[in-house]
Amino acid sequence: FYYNIKEGYQRYSGMNQKNNNMAIKTHHILLVMLALTLFSCAKSPEEKARTLFEESIKPRMGNPDLYEYMQMTDLDSAYSSLSIDRNYLALEDSLKKNKTTIFDAFSKNYKAKEKKEKALEQEIKDYEDSFVPQYIGWHSIIEFRAENLFGGRQIYKADVYFNDELTKCLDWFVEAE
């Protein structure tokens, strides 16, 4: 009888050790699966950029429900340039509006308009000379479909700029295709 109890205890402790090893392996597998699940929930930089753009453009659309994302280029480093500098673009627009024409030669304020045009040209030249490109964050081109002013669906391309942390859409320039 004593031998059977001892043998039974040895069998029981051996089974218990196998169960403990099995439990440890199961815990490891569950931890790995949990970690993968948590990391797979994190958004990629491109997904963050897409979301930021959609959040910033939809309020400005006539019918935001008809916005449909199509594709986007990979994020790339963005540097400031005159072609996206709002101050520079405003100066150029002002110059276009104040350009003298042949018809202005016969008006009373021709000299004043010509003087203003020359001042704007000089201001633009000074701005161009003093401009130094700087790193501003990220850039991508996002293609989407949306409703145009006439109610038809149209494809647009947006040249979009984001801050370095991908927390803000800095600016975008949209063109219809």
Side-chain angles (χ1 to χ4, degrees):
F1 178 75
Y2 175 75
Y3 178 74
N4 287 341
I5 292 176
K6 187 176 178 186
E7 187 179 308
Y9 176 74
Q10 286 174 346
R11 277 191 197 157
Y12 174 75
S13 64
M15 279 179 33
N16 208 11
Q17 188 176 6
K18 285 181 186 177
N19 287 343
N20 283 342
N21 287 343
M22 192 69 153
I24 290 172
K25 288 179 184 177
T26 306
H27 287 295
H28 285 271
I29 291 171
L30 288 175
L31 284 173
V32 169
M33 289 178 64
L34 178 65
L36 288 175
T37 304
L38 289 176
F39 287 119
S40 67
C41 292
K43 283 186 173 182
S44 71
E46 282 78 10
E47 288 171 333
K48 286 180 187 177
R50 177 183 165 189
T51 303
L52 285 171
F53 173 67
E54 289 174 356
E55 288 172 354
S56 60
I57 198 168
K58 280 185 177 181
R60 292 177 170 83
M61 297 177 79
N63 191 349
D65 295 334
L66 293 179
Y67 170 88
E68 180 185 341
Y69 167 82
M70 293 175 67
Q71 65 183 2
M72 79 184 272
T73 60
D74 291 338
L75 287 173
D76 196 8
S77 299
Y79 292 85
S80 59
S81 72
L82 291 173
S83 65
I84 63 168
D85 187 300
R86 291 285 182 183
N87 295 329
Y88 180 76
L89 296 173
L91 284 172
E92 281 194 331
D93 282 346
S94 181
L95 179 63
K96 285 178 189 174
K97 290 176 186 172
N98 291 298
K99 239 358 181 175
T100 55
T101 65
I102 189 77
F103 302 109
D104 293 327
F106 303 109
S107 70
K108 293 179 185 176
N109 60 353
Y110 174 72
K111 291 280 186 195
K113 196 167 185 178
E114 190 177 43
K115 189 175 179 181
K116 186 175 184 178
E117 179 183 353
K118 295 236 184 277
L120 279 170
E121 286 173 347
Q122 185 59 45
E123 189 176 351
I124 288 172
K125 185 180 180 323
D126 292 344
Y127 198 90
E128 290 171 345
D129 292 343
S130 65
F131 185 81
V132 177
Q134 296 177 344
Y135 176 75
I136 57 173
W138 299 101
H139 168 259
S140 181
I141 296 175
I142 298 177
E143 198 170 317
F144 63 96
R145 186 176 291 125
E147 189 176 83
N148 63 18
L149 294 174
F150 303 108
R153 308 265 294 149
Q154 189 165 0
I155 296 174
Y156 296 92
K157 277 191 178 179
D159 199 9
V160 190
Y161 297 86
F162 306 95
N163 67 347
D164 197 30
E165 299 82 26
L166 286 172
T167 57
K168 183 178 177 188
C169 186
L170 299 174
D171 211 348
W172 70 87
F173 302 88
V174 177
E175 290 181 10
E177 281 200 354

